[in-house]
Amino acid sequence: MSSNAYIKLVPSSSQQAISTEELKDLFHYYKEITSKTGEQVDWNYGNTAFPYELKEKETGKGTWFYLQSSQDRYNSILIGVDQEIIADEDGTEREQTYIQITLPPTATAGDKGKANEFSKFIGKKLQGELHLFNGRVMYFYPRK
């Protein structure tokens, strides 16, 4: 059974919308900074820290892509962007962008750990509201 985590871009987030291209840039940046940790300790940490390659199918272009691993403890993570209509406290409706991170039924415990790490990174970077796989919520945006 697949499970999902969501990063919602709320009004006080650093940006209100995001494209899959921007998410891909964040993925490459995350891979870069985790591999720099390995350089500092003189160890090939980059392949272990986040052992995924970005893949995209023609049908998902612009809406979703997936991260595929060739290591035995990991499989894949799907990442997509969508919008939803929500009602504000005053009753007005607005469109809210969210990022969905999905673990397919074939995902391993390692995939879940790496997906949690990556979703926290994105949540902090975008100052969003992260709804974790276990239902808990982390707030990375300035709250009143």
Side-chain angles (χ1 to χ4, degrees), residues 71-111:
Q71 292 190 9
D72 62 340
R73 289 185 293 174
Y74 306 102
N75 190 6
S76 61
I77 302 169
L78 285 73
I79 301 174
V81 178
D82 204 359
Q83 287 86 28
E84 63 185 350
I85 304 293
I86 63 162
D88 284 335
E89 295 167 2
D90 60 357
T92 59
E93 290 186 348
R94 67 177 175 84
E95 196 171 82
Q96 177 174 284
T97 301
Y98 65 90
I99 301 163
Q100 181 174 341
I101 299 171
T102 302
L103 294 172
T106 57
T108 65
D111 289 325

Side-chain angles (χ1 to χ4, degrees), residues 15 17-34 50 54-56 65 67 79 81 99 118 121-122 125-126:
Q15 61 190 68
I18 191 164
S19 68
T20 54
E21 293 305 315
E22 291 172 299
L23 270 177
K24 289 176 191 176
D25 291 342
L26 280 173
F27 166 74
H28 293 301
Y29 175 68
Y30 186 70
K31 292 264 303 180
E32 180 184 321
I33 61 174
T34 54
F50 204 70
L54 195 143
K55 308 271 183 166
E56 188 170 24
F65 58 91
L67 307 176
I79 301 174
V81 178
I99 301 163
F118 189 54
F121 169 78
I122 294 171
K125 208 69 170 145
L126 301 176

